[in-house]
Structure formats: C-alpha cells, structure tokens
C-alpha cells in the first residue's frame, strides 16, 4: 500500500512538473506578466500588499528597485501558487466526503490518481487547467499580476480585497 501511495505521489509530481514546464515555455522573454521596457523608477516597497505590520517583506532581496519585470513575475507566481494551494487543500477535504457518479469505488487520497477511472478524471482536469492557463486566464502586461477581474460579477475585486489576498 505504501508503494502504491509513493507511485501515486511520483505521478502527481511528474504531472505538475510537466505542466509547469509547459507553461513556462509559452511565455516571452519578459516572463509571465512582464512589461516590454524597464522602469527605473519602479519601487517594489510601495506596491499593493506592502502593509502593516510587516510592510514590504523581501528578506532574500529577490526584488530590486527598477526591476518591474522580476517583481511582476514573482508576484504572479506567488498569487498562482497560493490559489492552487487553496484549491488543493479544499479538494483534499471535499474528495473524502463527495463522490461523483461513476467514481464511488475510487479510493480517497493520493492513491486515487493511479486508480481508474480517477486517472481519466485527473487527465481531464489537467487538460482543462492547461487550456484555461494558456487561454482566458493567461497573464498580460496590461493588468497587474493575478488580476482576472470579477468573473462572477460579485463586485468584490477591490483594492481592499487585493490587499487581503496578498497578505
């Protein structure tokens, strides 16, 4: 049973790695959300998300003044990873209690990925996520990183919401 779980974890990690590699190959030289020309007056410490009690938090010094492309790429990655982690945590809990028709015999946990018909569902989710990532949910330099608007039309995409999302 442990070997099956390890095999499942390896398959999941391989799939996620392949998706990340494929996504990075489709971006231009400026990265995911980069601007075409450098902005020497760009200061990451005054961007949205720098607020009390930490203020601007970059202890490793990844974002330099004037490096707007680097900041935008890191910000887009930060937001995307946070959103994926939230969905994964929710999915890990919900899949224990909710079974879709036709998937009743599929075990819960990581072993589900290596058990048919869950493997087909995983492949479908992988393809759907890839299509959305390369299509309507792609980052553009014309918007701040992670801004996909308010697709549900709830009127909640405000500066206060963005501050909370980033912190």
């Amino acid at each position: 049973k442990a070997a099956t779980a390890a095999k499942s974890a390896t398959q999941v990690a391989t799939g996620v790695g392949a998706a990340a590699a494929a996504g990075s190959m489709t971006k231009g030289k400026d990265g995911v959300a980069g601007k075409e020309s450098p902005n020497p007056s760009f200061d990451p410490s005054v961007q949205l998300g720098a607020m009390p009690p930490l203020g601007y938090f970059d202890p490793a010094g990844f974002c330099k003044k004037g490096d707007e492309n680097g900041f935008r790429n890191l910000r887009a990655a930060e937001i995307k990873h946070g959103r994926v982690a939230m969905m994964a945590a929710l999915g890990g809990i919900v899949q224990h209690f909710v079974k879709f028709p036709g998937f009743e015999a599929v075990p819960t946990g990581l072993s589900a990925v290596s058990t048919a018909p869950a493997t087909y569902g995983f492949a479908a989710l992988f393809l759907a996520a890839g299509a959305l990532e390369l299509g309507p949910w792609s980052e553009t330099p014309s918007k701040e990183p992670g801004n996909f608007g308010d697709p549900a039309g709830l009127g909640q995409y405000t500066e206060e919401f963005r501050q909370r999302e980033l912190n």
Side-chain angles (χ1 to χ4, degrees):
K1 190 169 185 174
T4 304
K7 182 180 174 185
S8 297
T10 303
Q11 290 172 339
V12 170
T14 303
V16 170
S24 68
M25 290 188 297
T26 62
K27 307 305 175 192
K29 65 181 174 70
D30 294 326
V32 167
K35 295 283 190 175
E36 298 219 2
S37 59
N39 182 2
S41 64
F42 177 77
D43 185 6
S45 66
V46 297
Q47 297 302 307
L48 194 66
M51 56 190 291
L54 294 178
Y56 177 64
F57 186 73
D58 184 18
F62 287 121
C63 295
K64 310 285 189 253
K65 279 193 174 190
D67 185 15
E68 187 173 6
N69 284 342
F71 175 82
R72 290 175 63 88
N73 287 331
L74 291 172
R75 175 62 61 90
E78 171 189 20
I79 292 170
K80 185 178 293 186
H81 290 134
R83 289 173 177 168
V84 167
M86 287 185 282
M87 291 303 295
L90 182 64
I93 295 168
V94 170
Q95 59 99 21
H96 181 73
F97 299 104
V98 177
K99 296 284 188 178
F100 289 114
F103 292 86
E104 294 88 359
V106 174
T108 59
L110 284 178
S111 59
V113 178
S114 63
T115 307
T119 52
Y120 312 128
F122 177 72
L125 285 173
F126 182 80
L127 292 174
L132 289 170
E133 176 70 24
L134 297 174
W137 289 351
S138 60
E139 298 280 351
T140 62
S142 63
K143 300 184 290 187
E144 70 268 9
N147 180 357
F148 300 114
D150 187 11
L154 301 174
Q156 294 179 333
Y157 198 76
T158 62
E159 187 168 318
E160 179 189 353
F161 177 82
R162 297 260 310 147
Q163 290 277 15
R164 284 188 285 137
E165 181 181 42
L166 292 170
N167 286 309

